């Protein structure tokens, strides 16, 4: 035959002894005690090893073991979402044999991006588990639903993975991490330029973004300038209540500008996914309450619209309190909106 063992007394498999012990035990007992053979003291190392077990099971044609590994990893991610990043990274490294694992992990990250990418414990998975190409794929592409500030936090956490200390620089990323390779520094610079800093609250720009030295002074200046242009007409928060689609009810915070008019955003859940609900003015005539796909401009066909209202004020940037109507999948009754923050609600409607 053409098997290697017909011509060689030694056949090498690209799997560790621990991984193969799990496979052998499964063959004899119909179950593999992975926690006994693999390092289960570090959750990230454990799930990465399980991905390798699945690859070995695929290579040796043991589909039941593949199924068991998939279920085990699914259960672990449900309990600790940040492990999805480690599973995704490892499965993408392995390739086709564990394609089902990479699809499952990516789906989990998309469904719960904040808990998956920004874990409470820094040493348990999260965005630090991703290599640079996957960082851009998961965090910065059009499918991402996290806010602009959360994108920045992901970049900031990822940078810490590759260095032991930060060096304060005078102009952006060029001196931010003395121990980063040139390739990684270039990646950080390119990703930082994809951030729309004008959509990050000023308090975060000042206290977090500026202090990180991950963005250039010019980019910060442009963000502050954009904020200043509408500072005199910003309603700090918009409260939406009474909508027949209850998911849209809540407090929206001003983040960013569209068509020279403030936009308001709120994190929420829709059909089991973390999303960003938005209130924005389109074509200078109509306000919408919609789900905003990250990276898309307001009014794009990819938006999921719930309610709309034609403005009747001479000041079109003032959000109307009443007069909202359902559109597309919005349910009756329509909501009412009122302002809290810088202006009295009676003066702002």
């Amino acid at each position: 035959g053409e098997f290697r063992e017909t011509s060689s007394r030694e056949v090498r498999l690209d799997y560790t002894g621990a991984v193969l012990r799990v496979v052998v035990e499964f063959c004899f007992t119909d179950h593999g005690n992975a926690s006994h053979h693999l390092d289960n003291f570090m959750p990230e190392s454990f799930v990465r090893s399980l991905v390798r077990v699945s690859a070995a099971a695929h290579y040796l044609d043991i589909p039941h073991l593949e199924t068991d590994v998939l279920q085990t990893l699914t259960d672990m991610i449900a309990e600790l979402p940040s492990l999805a990043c480690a599973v995704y990274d490892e499965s993408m490294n392995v390739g086709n044999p564990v394609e089902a694992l990479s699809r499952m992990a990516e789906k989990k990250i998309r469904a719960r991006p904040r808990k998956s990418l920004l874990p409470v414990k820094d040493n348990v998975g999260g965005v630090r588990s991703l290599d640079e190409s996957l960082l851009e794929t998961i965090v910065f592409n059009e499918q991402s639903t996290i806010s602009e500030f959360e994108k920045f936090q992901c970049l900031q956490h990822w940078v810490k993975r590759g260095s032991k200390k930060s060096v304060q620089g005078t102009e952006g990323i060029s001196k931010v991490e003395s121990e980063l390779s040139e390739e990684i520094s270039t990646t950080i610079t390119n990703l930082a330029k994809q951030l729309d800093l004008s959509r990050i609250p000023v308090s975060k720009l000042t206290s977090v973004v500026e202090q990180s030295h991950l963005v250039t002074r010019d980019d910060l200046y442009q963000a502050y300038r954009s904020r200043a242009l509408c500072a005199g007409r910003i309603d700090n928060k918009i409260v939406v209540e009474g909508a027949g689609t209850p998911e849209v009810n809540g407090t929206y915070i001003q983040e960013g500008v569209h068509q020279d008019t403030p936009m308001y955003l709120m994190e929420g859940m829709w059909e089991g996914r973390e999303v960003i609900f938005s209130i924005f003015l389109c074509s200078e005539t109509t306000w919408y309450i919609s789900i905003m796909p990250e990276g898309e401009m307001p009014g794009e066909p990819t938006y999921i619209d719930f309610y709309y209202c034609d403005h009747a004020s001479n000041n079109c940037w003032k959000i109307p309190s009443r007069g909202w109507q359902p559109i597309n999948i919005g349910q009756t009754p329509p909501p009412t909106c009122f302002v809290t923050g810088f202006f009295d609600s009676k003066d702002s409607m």
Side-chain angles (χ1 to χ4, degrees):
E2 298 181 358
F3 292 105
R4 281 182 289 178
E5 52 264 38
T6 62
S7 59
S8 174
R9 298 181 60 184
E10 183 178 290
V11 176
R12 292 185 178 273
L13 299 176
D14 295 327
Y15 309 105
T16 65
V19 166
L20 291 176
R21 281 193 288 273
V22 175
V23 174
V24 171
E25 181 174 328
F26 185 89
C27 291
F28 278 96
T29 66
D30 207 30
H31 69 273
N33 189 356
S35 60
H36 177 72
H37 297 293
L38 305 177
D39 178 11
N40 64 343
F41 293 102
M42 297 294 292
E44 179 171 344
S45 298
F46 184 67
V47 298
R48 286 182 181 274
S49 295
L50 281 180
V51 172
R52 296 288 172 172
V53 169
S54 181
H58 180 85
Y59 178 78
L60 298 169
D61 194 20
I62 313 175
H64 291 306
L65 179 54
E66 290 184 81
T67 301
D68 282 2
V69 170
L70 176 60
Q71 186 59 54
T72 298
L73 289 174
T74 300
D75 293 342
M76 292 185 68
I77 290 172
E79 183 175 346
L80 197 60
S82 58
L83 291 177
C85 290
V87 173
Y88 184 65
D89 183 79
E90 190 69 21
S91 59
M92 292 298 287
N93 286 333
V94 172
N96 289 335
V98 291
E99 185 178 355
L101 293 182
S102 63
R103 289 198 304 267
M104 179 274 291
E106 182 178 8
K107 183 177 179 180
K108 298 296 184 182
I109 296 170
R110 299 295 186 197
R112 304 177 70 185
R114 295 165 191 84
K115 290 184 180 295
S116 300
L117 296 167
L118 298 169
V120 176
K121 296 181 179 179
D122 286 341
N123 62 340
V124 183
V127 68
R128 295 188 184 189
S129 300
L130 302 173
D131 72 16
E132 51 265 34
S133 63
L134 298 182
L135 173 69
E136 182 168 12
T137 299
I138 292 295
V139 178
F140 288 87
N141 78 343
E142 65 276 3
Q143 296 183 55
S144 176
T145 59
I146 59 176
S147 70
E148 216 66 20
F149 180 63
E150 287 164 334
K151 286 183 180 181
F152 171 80
Q153 287 181 301
C154 286
L155 184 60
Q156 190 177 37
H157 280 256
W158 189 82
V159 168
K160 292 178 181 178
R161 179 193 76 159
S163 63
K164 296 181 180 179
K165 64 180 182 178
S166 298
V167 178
Q168 181 169 321
T170 58
E171 186 59 34
I173 191 61
S174 60
K175 296 182 181 179
V176 69
E177 301 289 352
S178 62
E179 299 181 16
L180 292 178
S181 69
E182 181 178 349
E183 180 180 356
I184 292 178
S185 295
T186 300
T187 297
I188 296 169
T189 301
N190 293 337
L191 293 180
K193 288 187 177 298
Q194 295 185 38
L195 293 167
D196 184 353
L197 299 179
S198 69
R199 296 173 67 177
I200 298 178
V202 173
S203 60
K204 301 296 186 183
L205 283 174
T206 304
S207 63
V208 181
V209 179
E210 185 174 350
Q211 301 304 316
S212 73
H213 303 282
L214 288 175
V215 298
T216 66
R217 290 178 178 177
D218 182 63
D219 288 338
L220 280 169
Y221 167 76
Q222 295 299 330
Y224 286 131
R225 182 176 181 275
S226 179
R227 285 287 187 168
L229 287 175
C230 63
R233 50 186 179 171
I234 290 176
D235 300 329
N236 193 22
K237 298 177 182 178
I238 303 296
V239 176
V240 176
E241 60 182 22
T245 303
E247 290 86 349
V248 309
N249 294 325
T251 301
Y252 293 68
I253 299 175
Q254 198 278 334
E255 290 191 28
V257 178
H258 174 62
Q259 295 183 352
D260 204 27
T261 304
M263 289 195 308
Y264 302 84
L265 308 180
M266 178 185 73
E267 297 175 2
M269 298 291 295
W270 177 254
E271 297 183 342
R273 292 176 57 87
E274 294 178 351
V275 297
I276 302 294
F277 292 97
S278 62
I279 303 175
F280 62 91
L281 182 68
C282 188
S283 301
E284 300 184 355
T285 59
T286 306
W287 286 94
Y288 288 90
I289 299 177
S290 308
I291 289 178
M292 179 182 71
E294 190 65 32
E296 298 286 339
M297 293 297 293
E300 293 293 327
T302 50
Y303 268 57
I304 301 175
D305 298 323
F306 296 94
Y307 301 95
Y308 76 98
C309 184
D310 293 325
H311 74 81
S313 170
N314 291 330
N315 293 317
C316 66
W317 51 269
K318 291 183 177 181
I319 294 180
S321 175
R322 293 175 175 81
W324 292 89
Q325 298 295 326
I327 185 174
N328 295 337
I329 58 177
Q331 301 295 312
T332 56
T336 56
C337 302
F338 63 90
V339 176
T340 63
F342 294 135
F343 297 104
D344 179 80
S345 59
K346 293 182 180 179
D347 294 334
S348 299
M349 298 299 177

